[in-house]
Amino acid sequence: MKYVLPVLLTVMSGYIAAEMSADEFVKHIDGFRGYQDKGFSFSVVNISYRPDKEPRQNQLQVKVLDDKSLVKFLSPAREKGRAMLKEGKDMWLHIPGTRRVIRVAPAQRLLGETSNGDVVGIKLHQDYSAKVLGPAENDKEVELLLTAKDKKSLYYQVKFRVEKDAPYRPVKSEFYSLSGKLIKTAFYKEFKSFEGEEKLHKLLLVDPIQEGRYTWMMFDNYQEQSLNENIFQKESLTRL
Amino acid sequence: MRFALCLALLPSYLVAQEFDDPFAAPDFRLEEENKAVDFQANLFAYWQRQEVRSTLFNPGLIDFSERERKYALDVQLESEISSRIKGYFRAVTEHGQFSLNRRSESQDTLLEGYIETHSDDNSWWLTVGRKKLQWGNGFNWSPANLMQPYFDRPSSDVDNLKQLKGWDLIEVQRQFDGTSLSFWVAKAPESIEGDFQGAVRWSIEAPIDLSLILHKVEEGEINSALTWSHLLGEVTTLRAEWSYQKQRELPLSTLSDEVQNEGYHKAVVGMNYSFSNQWSFVAEYLHNEHGYDSQEWQSLVNETQLARDNYLNGVDVPMSLRSLFSANNILSNGQLRQRYAFLMLSNTQVDQFFQFRVSNQFNLDDDSYFWRVELFQNWTQRFSSRIEYEAFSGCEYCEFGLTPYEDQLRFAAYYVF
């Protein structure tokens, strides 16, 4: 009996903590990529690998305010000056050479192996419903299942492994289509402190369908900023 | 227990082994964004070979060369003069030997050069100088671009930077929450009566992407245009544009510059479908009332045929020459008829070693067409090349059967500093 009570309490506390904090876990995941409702900026470097090919690299500067993101291409040199605006699902691309601003679809990839959604600001807690699946085998992590509120989302379900204890860093996530096909696996490799807040620093994306294709992403220079809403307009894309 | 631990650690061990962190390499460094002065230069050259043919419009009158080459330097400079004032400059210097006259030519062109300032909250903008305006949202045809310094066919020749030459203008823009209102006053083109032209554009953004444009040349009537785009699911975008101009773009006869003034509609509808493998497919349909209907086209062809016969027989040569030159000018405008389709398959949106684009433009009125294949090779971050093959096909009285070239092959190389 003297062993039963502590065991029961441990199991129950773990269960209650896990079940009650599903949304909290997701907000913590979002917190590693931004500053909730405040404006902020960061830079991203993507290096994509394919079998028997030279790696491709690009660098972007991103500004985020609410559900709006503004992405400016800094490299490669031939794509410098391109800019992309994302407002919810609506996205526009500005190609400076022609001064054209064209609407692009969320599924339209502009960044090699990384999707547009990987580089912009994300708010999983707004777009997905979360539930705790239970503890992972190693007992240090929790498994979460996120299901998109919109069935048309590119990633209908995301399975996350998150640290069970604070600061609740994400460890790994798997992205599934509506048909249940695994599209992408992400490994959250490194975190870094910016102005006292810990943010995702290095992310590894692996393509489970095409063997040997993967992308390293490095997020850096996170800064909370007072950003004017007027710069997140399609008309402003030509003026970046 | 040890065995179980080893198994649990195995996946992370494999990940660490297979995917070495490239950012940890000692030579890795981030690009710095220089806001004070941002300089970019693009040095490029192309060499082209084409199959010249004799046509109804050109019975050996214009001596087209089978070879063409161009070397050019495109320079862009952007400077943030203060937190609210920015300057932009773009010029191109070109040297080449072109097919039309076989002579070597050099030319320097200021494409854009303007100063731009804005209010503290970015809601008011003022631009003064030369600037390229782009109101259309289509890929191949943009009827909404009512103010055009040059004929606007960006996909026709990406190496012709003069298509990007702007207007000398003053622009005022007011941005509201999700909408904007813009005004322009610009110099009128020399080919049109009047010194100035003006335009106003009102646009609404997401989720409805709609804009209304009104445009007027000093001595002319008001022209109008409408653009619209829409997202359909995660993979498809739709777009449409419409314009109405009082004055027709093309003359009815090769012997007169007079154009009709009865009001003409031009509309394009199109879609872009994105495949999961980075390829996308574009389809567009153009309805163009500025183009000739069957009767008008037949009349133009008969007129040109008579001019050709007269020229070859030495009858009324000055008049015949005028008619033939005029016919060739009309031909260079493109979209001479009323119904067209455009199809394109490409993977050019994503930077990768090989990029490929194939496009077709069909004249649905006379069944002539041209198609183009392009292969891009991005050798390094700065050096790239492009191979392009174009072929024009159609009957001897059809639009794309009348082009002076049957086909052309171009090799272009680009280096970005």
Side-chain angles (χ1 to χ4, degrees):
Chain A
M1 184 64 190
K2 68 178 179 182
Y3 298 110
V4 173
L5 193 61
V7 168
L8 198 64
L9 282 173
T10 308
V11 170
M12 278 182 68
S13 63
Y15 174 75
I16 290 167
E19 189 179 53
M20 286 183 65
S21 58
D23 289 336
E24 284 301 313
F25 273 123
V26 178
K27 281 187 179 168
H28 276 289
I29 296 170
D30 283 345
F32 287 106
R33 286 284 306 273
Y35 293 84
Q36 304 295 351
D37 296 329
K38 297 169 190 164
F40 61 96
S41 66
F42 59 92
S43 62
V44 197
V45 181
N46 302 293
I47 306 181
S48 297
Y49 296 84
R50 284 182 178 199
D52 307 320
K53 298 242 170 95
E54 279 291 303
R56 314 300 295 177
Q57 180 177 330
N58 64 33
Q59 185 178 334
L60 317 164
Q61 181 67 35
V62 185
K63 288 178 178 171
V64 182
L65 183 66
D66 298 327
D67 67 339
K68 298 171 183 174
S69 299
L70 203 51
V71 181
K72 190 175 174 182
F73 290 59
L74 301 184
S75 75
R78 67 180 148 269
E79 295 203 353
K80 191 177 173 184
R82 273 191 181 207
M84 183 173 76
L85 171 69
K86 180 177 182 289
E87 190 177 345
K89 284 196 166 183
D90 295 296
M91 297 171 75
W92 286 273
L93 176 73
H94 174 240
I95 302 166
T98 63
R99 287 219 172 266
R100 277 174 183 272
V101 178
I102 54 169
R103 187 190 271 272
V104 291
Q108 198 168 340
R109 284 189 176 191
L110 307 173
L111 300 159
E113 301 304 308
T114 48
S115 76
N116 301 330
D118 293 326
V119 297
V120 298
I122 55 162
K123 287 203 171 156
L124 293 170
H125 75 274
Q126 279 182 1
D127 300 334
Y128 288 84
S129 307
K131 73 173 180 182
V132 176
L133 293 177
E137 308 91 43
N138 63 13
D139 208 32
K140 291 178 182 170
E141 294 155 10
V142 175
E143 287 191 340
L144 306 175
L145 181 68
L146 278 63
T147 305
K149 291 172 184 170
D150 182 354
K151 277 195 171 181
K152 290 176 186 166
S153 291
L154 190 59
Y155 306 125
Y156 178 63
Q157 285 194 314
V158 190
K159 201 185 274 186
F160 262 96
R161 279 174 77 160
V162 184
E163 287 176 349
K164 194 176 74 177
D165 302 313
Y168 312 108
R169 294 186 192 99
V171 177
K172 179 186 170 186
S173 56
E174 293 173 336
F175 296 80
Y176 295 88
S177 67
L178 183 62
S179 64
K181 187 177 174 185
L182 177 63
I183 301 170
K184 183 164 68 183
T185 305
F187 297 91
Y188 299 78
K189 305 294 286 182
E190 202 174 311
F191 295 81
K192 187 177 170 183
S193 181
F194 296 91
E195 297 167 337
E197 283 200 38
E198 198 174 41
K199 300 290 170 206
L200 175 64
H201 184 44
K202 291 178 186 174
L203 178 71
L204 171 64
L205 298 174
V206 179
D207 186 337
I209 301 161
Q210 291 163 299
E211 200 180 340
R213 288 190 178 194
Y214 60 96
T215 297
W216 273 93
M217 300 177 73
M218 186 171 82
F219 301 86
D220 215 339
N221 304 321
Y222 269 95
Q223 281 182 325
E224 198 179 315
Q225 275 189 320
S226 172
L227 296 170
N228 192 308
E229 208 160 304
N230 283 326
I231 67 167
F232 294 91
Q233 290 203 17
K234 184 185 155 196
E235 294 294 323
S236 299
L237 267 179
T238 57
R239 296 198 167 105
L240 290 178
Chain B
M1 181 65 188
R2 269 187 205 163
F3 179 69
L5 191 64
C6 286
L7 275 183
L9 291 173
L10 196 57
S12 58
Y13 169 78
L14 283 176
V15 166
Q17 282 299 299
E18 285 178 20
F19 309 108
D20 289 336
D21 180 358
F23 305 115
D27 58 341
F28 176 78
R29 63 185 174 86
L30 284 175
E31 295 271 340
E32 292 292 327
E33 191 181 13
N34 188 347
K35 284 191 169 178
V37 180
D38 189 9
F39 174 80
Q40 196 169 351
N42 179 19
L43 183 67
F44 70 92
Y46 73 71
W47 298 265
Q48 181 172 302
R49 191 188 167 92
Q50 54 239 346
E51 191 68 40
V52 178
R53 63 185 171 192
S54 176
T55 66
L56 171 70
F57 283 20
N58 184 32
L61 178 69
I62 306 169
D63 183 20
F64 289 99
S65 163
E66 290 191 336
R67 289 172 194 274
E68 193 171 307
R69 63 174 187 270
K70 180 159 92 172
Y71 312 99
L73 179 66
D74 169 23
V75 178
Q76 293 176 65
L77 186 72
E78 191 173 324
S79 175
E80 206 166 284
I81 299 160
S82 75
S83 63
R84 286 172 47 189
I85 302 174
K86 191 178 88 173
Y88 179 76
F89 166 90
R90 186 176 186 185
V92 61
T93 178
E94 298 172 302
H95 177 79
Q97 191 164 28
F98 301 100
S99 171
L100 188 58
N101 53 20
R102 292 171 181 258
R103 282 184 309 187
S104 289
E105 282 177 17
S106 295
Q107 202 169 20
D108 304 324
T109 312
L110 173 65
L111 299 175
E112 292 184 283
Y114 59 83
I115 298 281
E116 189 172 77
T117 183
H118 61 86
S119 61
D120 281 338
D121 63 354
N122 293 66
S123 63
W124 283 96
W125 290 82
L126 172 70
T127 307
V128 180
R130 179 174 293 179
K131 186 179 179 183
K132 165 82 175 170
L133 300 175
Q134 192 63 267
W135 298 327
N137 60 14
F139 184 84
N140 195 54
W141 294 296
S142 296
N145 279 341
L146 296 173
M147 210 146 80
Q148 302 169 5
Y150 285 88
F151 199 81
D152 192 56
R153 285 190 299 162
S155 63
S156 67
D157 186 353
V158 294
D159 299 321
N160 179 7
L161 293 185
K162 283 183 195 145
Q163 290 179 120
L164 301 174
K165 186 178 172 184
W167 288 107
D168 297 329
L169 54 73
I170 296 173
E171 175 187 59
V172 178
Q173 188 175 74
R174 172 78 167 101
Q175 284 186 207
F176 305 94
D177 184 21
T179 64
S180 67
L181 196 58
S182 311
F183 301 89
W184 293 272
V185 177
K187 267 179 73 178
E190 286 168 9
S191 56
I192 294 177
E193 276 184 50
D195 295 328
F196 295 100
Q197 58 180 328
V200 56
R201 177 170 175 255
W202 176 64
S203 67
I204 313 173
E205 294 191 5
I208 302 166
D209 179 23
L210 191 71
S211 69
L212 172 68
I213 299 147
L214 298 174
H215 166 256
K216 186 180 183 306
V217 181
E218 199 180 354
E219 306 285 328
E221 304 273 347
I222 291 178
N223 304 313
S224 50
L226 204 60
T227 71
W228 169 83
S229 79
H230 184 72
L231 176 67
L232 199 67
E234 294 275 321
V235 294
T236 311
T237 58
L238 305 174
R239 46 188 181 238
E241 279 181 43
W242 162 87
S243 70
Y244 176 80
Q245 288 172 283
K246 196 74 181 165
Q247 198 171 54
R248 197 170 185 175
E249 287 176 351
L250 301 166
L252 265 186
S253 163
T254 59
L255 297 170
S256 164
D257 293 333
E258 198 178 325
V259 286
Q260 290 174 294
N261 210 18
E262 292 165 16
Y264 302 89
H265 296 274
K266 195 192 274 190
V268 60
V269 289
M271 56 83 74
N272 184 327
Y273 182 87
S274 302
F275 297 96
S276 57
N277 58 2
Q278 303 179 357
W279 286 78
S280 54
F281 173 71
V282 173
E284 287 182 9
Y285 171 77
L286 173 75
H287 176 75
N288 174 31
E289 284 186 359
H290 293 271
Y292 301 111
D293 62 24
S294 300
Q295 209 176 350
E296 290 167 339
W297 179 248
Q298 192 55 53
S299 164
L300 193 89
V301 166
N302 292 343
E303 197 176 87
T304 311
Q305 198 161 20
L306 180 66
R308 184 193 66 168
D309 293 344
N310 284 346
Y311 169 73
L312 292 175
N313 296 322
V315 179
D316 202 1
V317 173
M319 186 67 87
S320 307
L321 280 175
R322 186 185 157 192
S323 181
L324 286 169
F325 278 118
S326 174
N328 280 282
N329 274 340
I330 290 170
L331 192 65
S332 69
N333 280 335
Q335 285 84 58
L336 303 184
R337 304 298 301 275
Q338 298 195 332
R339 297 180 305 128
Y340 290 86
F342 172 77
L343 303 173
M344 183 176 76
L345 184 70
S346 70
N347 69 347
T348 53
Q349 294 279 19
V350 179
D351 185 69
Q352 49 195 317
F353 184 72
F354 279 120
Q355 293 176 322
F356 184 75
R357 181 160 63 196
V358 58
S359 56
N360 292 67
Q361 190 169 305
F362 299 95
N363 181 327
L364 301 174
D365 286 325
D366 65 14
D367 295 333
S368 67
Y369 61 90
F370 90 83
W371 60 276
R372 178 188 293 135
V373 181
E374 293 164 277
L375 178 66
F376 302 75
Q377 308 86 39
N378 297 317
W379 301 100
T380 70
Q381 295 265 319
R382 297 185 181 278
F383 177 63
S384 58
S385 59
R386 187 171 69 94
I387 299 168
E388 173 190 285
Y389 177 75
E390 275 185 342
F392 301 84
S393 184
C395 73
E396 60 176 324
Y397 305 114
C398 303
E399 181 177 358
F400 296 116
L402 284 166
T403 53
Y405 312 119
E406 198 168 322
D407 60 12
Q408 62 185 41
L409 180 67
R410 179 183 294 185
F411 173 75
Y414 310 85
Y415 188 86
V416 184
F417 293 95

